[in-house]
Amino acid sequence: MARANSIYQEEVIPSPLRQVWLNFLSYPVAVIGFWVFIILVLASLIAPYIAPYPPHFQHTDALLVPPSWHPNGNIAYFLGTDDLGRDIFSNLLYGVRTTFGSSLLVTLFAAFFGIILGILSGMSKGLKSSILNHILDATLAIPSLLLAIVLVAISEQSLANVMMAVGIALVPQFMRATHTAVHQELPREYVVAAKLDGANQVQVFLYVILPNILNSLVVQTTLAISIAIIDIATLGFLRIGVPAPTSEWGAMLADGVDLIFIAPWNVTVPGLAIFVSVLAINLVGYGLQRAVKEGIG
């Protein structure tokens, strides 16, 4: 109470993390993307509890029912059904787990190993740094999707193998982004000053380099999530991804291609889900990038 009644107005300086959050909230588009991201995360966690039907239950008396807002639609099937009578809304909710949820786990895996390896290569010098740099250039010459296709093709078709393949394909991108960002920071005057003050390699990285490369890491992480979503969906569309009967947005797209002229909702619904999820991730990444940059500045 004493502080509330004080005549002196004391300026409260927010912590760096809170300042980044306040900066992020100043971008309405990024906030919208953040709420979409939260909804997708929640849907991936509680899909079995909110889905109206089991994902592969076939309603033989309701084949190709249009969405509920269509004149011939049925409210019991909110987004309609496919040619086997499966409820598209239920499949979409379960597909959030496979396509979106798996993408988050894959990105965490790739970021953990890629950033650590990128730090080790970026902080090294001489011949070792040159060799690692050429290895990274060689791995990045192969597109992540192509590398994932090769890895899935030589392994058993399963969700775990798909996630592992996409994760391994994304590791070089994190390595390269971290390696480049660290190498750009090493010649800076404040890094040299920290070394002259007696700071060791770990202290130099944690307290001097890391705050200045967070921008690059945020951009790479959001980009990797988007790539992972597209790669997993593409593998499912090509029928070499997650095997049936697991619900997956790319597989839903493949199932609906033949019905695009008579039941277009079979294609548009999973297609919009992929588009919205990737757009939301990119908007969040944009907001975080600007927020971190302003917070550091």
Side-chain angles (χ1 to χ4, degrees), residues 111 114-115 119 174-175 177-179 181-182 205 209-224:
I115 290 175
I119 292 169
F174 277 100
M175 288 180 60
T178 309
H179 175 93
V182 171
F205 176 77
I209 295 178
L210 182 59
N212 292 287
I213 66 171
L214 280 178
N215 238 2
S216 301
L217 297 182
V218 166
V219 172
Q220 184 57 45
T221 301
T222 54
L223 179 62

Side-chain angles (χ1 to χ4, degrees), residues 104-120 167 170-175 178 205 217 220-221 224:
L104 297 182
L105 296 177
V106 161
T107 303
L108 289 176
F109 166 83
F112 178 77
F113 289 101
I115 290 175
I116 291 177
L117 294 174
I119 292 169
L120 295 176
L170 290 177
V171 167
Q173 298 187 20
F174 277 100
M175 288 180 60
T178 309
F205 176 77
L217 297 182
Q220 184 57 45
T221 301

Side-chain angles (χ1 to χ4, degrees), residues 136-155:
L136 284 175
D137 289 339
T139 55
L140 286 173
I142 306 173
S144 63
L145 179 58
L146 180 59
L147 183 57
I149 290 174
V150 172
L151 293 174
V152 169
I154 62 177
S155 62

Side-chain angles (χ1 to χ4, degrees), residues 90-273:
S90 300
N91 273 279
L92 194 72
L93 288 175
Y94 277 87
V96 175
R97 280 185 155 190
T98 309
T99 307
F100 182 80
S102 297
S103 301
L104 297 182
L105 296 177
V106 161
T107 303
L108 289 176
F109 166 83
F112 178 77
F113 289 101
I115 290 175
I116 291 177
L117 294 174
I119 292 169
L120 295 176
S121 65
M123 298 293 287
S124 61
K125 296 180 180 178
L127 181 62
K128 183 168 65 173
S129 176
S130 178
I131 292 174
L132 289 171
N133 196 25
H134 288 304
I135 292 174
L136 284 175
D137 289 339
T139 55
L140 286 173
I142 306 173
S144 63
L145 179 58
L146 180 59
L147 183 57
I149 290 174
V150 172
L151 293 174
V152 169
I154 62 177
S155 62
E156 184 182 354
Q157 191 176 2
S158 66
L159 176 59
N161 287 338
V162 169
M163 292 174 63
M164 185 65 67
V166 176
I168 293 174
L170 290 177
V171 167
Q173 298 187 20
F174 277 100
M175 288 180 60
R176 185 58 173 169
T178 309
H179 175 93
T180 303
V182 171
H183 252 291
Q184 290 176 348
E185 290 296 318
L186 284 177
R188 307 283 187 186
E189 294 179 356
Y190 45 80
V191 176
V192 176
K195 291 180 178 180
L196 293 175
D197 285 341
N200 57 37
Q201 290 281 73
V202 176
Q203 292 172 331
V204 168
F205 176 77
L206 290 178
Y207 301 111
V208 182
I209 295 178
L210 182 59
N212 292 287
I213 66 171
L214 280 178
N215 238 2
S216 301
L217 297 182
V218 166
V219 172
Q220 184 57 45
T221 301
T222 54
L223 179 62
I225 296 175
S226 301
I227 293 174
I229 292 173
I230 295 173
D231 285 357
I232 292 175
T234 302
L235 292 173
F237 184 81
L238 296 175
R239 304 294 190 184
I240 59 174
V242 181
T246 306
S247 298
E248 196 275 317
W249 290 346
M252 292 176 65
L253 270 174
D255 292 338
V257 167
D258 294 335
L259 307 170
I260 190 169
F261 294 110
I262 59 175
W265 56 89
N266 282 268
V267 175
T268 55
V269 170
L272 282 174

